[in-house]
Amino acid sequence: RVSEARERERVVESYLSHARIVHIGASSLPNAVSKGDLDVFVGVDKEKFKSSLRIIRNLGYVEKKGTLR
């Protein structure tokens, strides 16, 4: 799961070189039990937020509602 997350990070980084991308959640911990979803934090400057979110959605990711921005 960790290697899958790293590969996904590389893809997102190729589109969002200005972003800070961190694999978070239970699946980021070796041997931890998780629900099977992949939690990734993508941090960008405020002025790039909307365009970055559009790119992430176009890559097939879904924004988790109710999270802090």
Side-chain angles (χ1 to χ4, degrees), residues 22-61:
V22 180
H23 180 202
I24 60 173
S27 63
S28 68
L29 304 171
N31 302 315
V33 176
S34 74
K35 299 178 293 198
D37 59 346
L38 189 62
D39 296 315
V40 178
F41 165 81
V42 180
V44 297
D45 292 335
K46 186 177 182 176
E47 61 272 1
K48 295 184 178 184
F49 179 78
K50 287 184 181 180
S51 62
S52 298
L53 187 55
R54 233 183 341 270
I55 290 168
I56 291 169
R57 287 177 177 157
N58 287 339
L59 290 171
Y61 291 92

